[in-house]
Amino acid sequence: MQNPDASDSQFRAENSGAPARLGGAPAASPIWGADAGGPESVPRRVVLLGSTGSIGTQAIDVADGAPDRFDIVAVAAGGGNLELLARQAVHTRADAVGCAAVDLPTLKAAIEQAAAEASVTGYDPELFVGAGAATAVAAWPEADVVLNGMTGSIGLEPTLAALAAGHLLALANKESLIVGGALVKQAAQPGQLVPVDSEHSALAQALRSGAPEEVDRLVVTASGGPFRGRKREELADVTPDQALAHPTWKMGRMITTNSASMVNKALEVIEAHLLFDIPLERIDVVVHPQSVVHSMVQFIDGSTIAQASPPDMRLPIALGMGWPHRVAGAAAPCDWTKAAEWTFEPLDEDAFPAVRLAKEAAASGGTGMAVYNAANEEAVDAFHDGLIGFTDIVDTISAVLSEHTDSGPLTLESVLAAEKWARSAARARCGR
Ligand SMILES: NC(=O)C1=CN([C@@H]2O[C@H](COP(=O)(O)OP(=O)(O)OC[C@H]3O[C@@H](n4cnc5c(N)ncnc54)[C@H](OP(=O)(O)O)[C@@H]3O)[C@@H](O)[C@H]2O)C=CC1
Ligand SMILES: CC(=O)[C@@H](O)[C@H](O)COP(=O)(O)O
Ligand SMILES: [Mn+2]
């Protein structure tokens, strides 16, 4: 809930319906199309999952800067930074607070302490703890939009809960869509699922300029990460610190490591395929080290529409939460008065085979990507724990996939079972 001095509670009753949906959505994709008109006259009530992370903290920044557009009504995090979660709860006056790793008295005490430090009295939110906390918060009924900014496939059930509750889902947690695949798509009404990932936000914006049948190819840009230009043999001895030195973005540990290995781009190709219903063979990756062009759509008449802005996630976060309406001043634009250079180069798939591997794993539309992602999450942790080398990350994914047999239709149970199996196979390979 918004800080009482920054909001007018009389508007609350008028804002009880679901948010505006994207209109005119054809085909199976939940993303096509956009409706007309301006934003609602009352702030959207936002549930923030992963509030203490890179996406989560930037989302609070966005909401603080646009109180007429956004009112954070619930926050949830893992518990790795309980103090910050408690301070966020008090700052936003969230009606609901979730935390996975603590018990109820600990969460309550942390919030009471944060309230006392901020000289706030009478703040008494509903609390959720334990493994199901984020899922419960995702279904918080007095909400319009859920921003899922959790890391990893642990975000799948919260994603499904947000969709089942009828909320607009602004999805940063790409893993939940990628591992859930058709399961997540079928759970989404047309226009209910909006990407926050910068490339997919760019694609969604570019796709507004043409009909689905006019799209030729999607071009997903990649920064190239800290190891751009290196050959495979030059990657064997790189360290976790080097892998975390991303050239253009400041993000959480998992996605930053994935950027270095190109697993992030692999996940993003599958994410684009699922969001926009474009076949995998019509989705390309191009390395663009400046991270200013966030992706492009090539149309059948030879035209390419690109979205460009300096690397700042507050833009796609604001657009995702406010979709389809833009938020004025969400981020700084490009400065066209200064000389600048944008470069593009092909991806070296021999040094970085992650994208090719994901296209193969995703081809069946089954549990392949759940296995790919789970093996990667385990291997990344093992790399940071010093158990395996950098190139072993993608080699582990490849080895685990080669032992995997796709098992019938995609259900929540089959995804969770495939994940469990893949985590155990990957851990064994990493010497856990
Ligand atoms: N960061 C970025 O710029 C971008 C991120 N993304 C995607 O967004 C997602 C988040 O990334 P990022 O913000 O970098 O990651 P971070 O590691 O910075 O943050 C992850 C967040 O998830 C929370 N979390 C962990 N476990 C749980 C749980 N069981 N229940 C609820 N919350 C939990 C963490 O809480 P705590 O640490 O307090 O335990 C933290 O708030 C990822 O899927 C990533 O791929 C996509 C594009 C850009
Ligand atoms: C900001 C964002 O969307 C990240 O996914 C980013 O794209 C990562 O950079 P890479 O292009 O290096 O993977
Ligand atoms: Mn991205």
Side-chain angles (χ1 to χ4, degrees):
M1 195 172 99
Q2 212 164 34
N3 193 318
D5 54 12
S7 75
D8 186 343
S9 58
Q10 69 171 335
F11 290 136
R12 188 54 45 78
E14 299 167 23
N15 193 28
S16 55
R21 298 284 183 238
L22 283 70
S29 171
I31 184 69
W32 283 112
D35 59 9
E40 305 89 350
S41 56
V42 291
R44 281 192 184 171
R45 299 165 300 177
V46 179
V47 170
L48 197 46
L49 308 178
S51 60
T52 56
S54 162
I55 291 289
T57 51
Q58 292 181 86
I60 292 179
D61 237 31
V62 167
D64 282 350
D68 56 325
R69 298 289 302 278
F70 305 117
D71 176 6
I72 295 177
V73 295
V75 289
N81 195 342
L82 182 57
E83 237 178 75
L84 176 58
L85 174 63
R87 276 192 276 117
Q88 290 178 331
V90 172
H91 172 70
T92 60
R93 308 288 205 281
D95 298 321
V97 182
C99 189
V102 298
D103 59 17
L104 219 45
T106 308
L107 179 56
K108 197 170 167 47
I111 291 173
E112 280 169 1
Q113 186 178 338
E117 281 167 9
S119 306
V120 168
T121 53
Y123 175 57
D124 187 19
E126 193 152 333
L127 304 183
F128 298 88
V129 293
T135 304
V137 171
W140 184 248
E142 302 299 312
D144 300 306
V145 50
V146 173
L147 171 56
N148 188 346
M150 295 164 66
T151 279
S153 60
I154 196 172
L156 175 60
E157 287 175 72
T159 277
L160 291 171
L163 293 172
H167 303 324
L168 184 70
L169 176 62
L171 190 66
N173 176 251
K174 64 192 92 182
E175 298 92 332
S176 56
L177 173 63
I178 290 157
V179 308
L183 199 61
V184 172
K185 285 183 70 173
Q186 283 155 14
Q189 296 298 312
Q192 197 184 358
L193 176 53
V194 178
V196 168
D197 208 348
S198 63
E199 295 77 2
H200 306 77
S201 176
L203 291 169
Q205 293 174 63
L207 285 165
R208 287 172 164 182
S209 55
E213 59 276 12
E214 293 176 330
V215 174
D216 182 10
R217 308 188 74 78
L218 304 183
V219 184
V220 178
T221 52
S223 74
F227 305 133
R228 180 173 68 90
R230 294 203 194 193
K231 297 290 168 209
R232 182 176 162 85
E233 55 276 14
E234 296 172 303
L235 293 171
D237 297 329
V238 299
T239 65
D241 280 351
Q242 289 172 316
L244 290 179
H246 196 282
T248 49
W249 296 99
K250 190 163 168 15
M251 311 179 287
R253 186 180 84 159
M254 180 62 68
I255 184 173
T256 305
T257 313
N258 291 349
S259 286
S261 65
M262 287 295 152
V263 165
N264 184 48
K265 221 39 63 180
L267 299 180
E268 292 184 343
V269 166
I270 311 307
E271 183 184 8
H273 163 66
L274 292 167
L275 282 169
F276 305 116
D277 289 330
I278 301 294
L280 287 168
E281 61 274 15
R282 289 203 277 132
I283 305 178
D284 304 315
V285 171
V286 64
V287 174
H288 165 57
Q290 294 80 18
S291 299
V292 174
V293 172
H294 297 294
S295 278
M296 306 177 253
V297 177
Q298 186 177 301
F299 289 93
I300 51 174
D301 60 355
S303 179
T304 296
I305 304 286
Q307 186 265 327
S309 50
D312 185 340
M313 278 306 291
R314 288 175 301 178
L315 191 161
I317 288 170
L319 185 57
M321 297 196 304
W323 187 265
H325 309 296
R326 296 186 183 276
V327 175
C334 294
D335 182 352
W336 302 108
T337 65
K338 298 219 168 75
E341 199 172 64
W342 296 349
T343 58
F344 299 91
E345 63 197 47
L347 172 65
D348 178 352
E349 295 212 47
D350 293 330
F352 299 98
V355 173
R356 188 171 51 213
L357 194 58
K359 283 189 171 181
E360 288 163 12
S364 71
T367 48
M369 282 311 295
V371 168
Y372 182 110
N373 180 71
N376 179 62
E377 288 184 17
E378 293 296 333
V380 167
D381 284 345
F383 169 62
H384 284 285
D385 289 346
L387 293 175
I388 62 171
F390 183 71
T391 46
D392 295 328
I393 297 175
V394 175
D395 288 352
T396 300
I397 302 172
S398 177
V400 173
L401 273 170
S402 70
E403 293 164 20
H404 167 64
T405 323
D406 219 323
S407 52
L410 211 54
T411 61
L412 182 57
E413 291 67 37
S414 71
V415 169
L416 296 179
E419 271 236 319
K420 190 172 171 202
W421 172 83
R423 285 183 191 282
S424 152
R427 288 170 74 85
R429 288 194 67 89
C430 294
R432 294 274 194 204

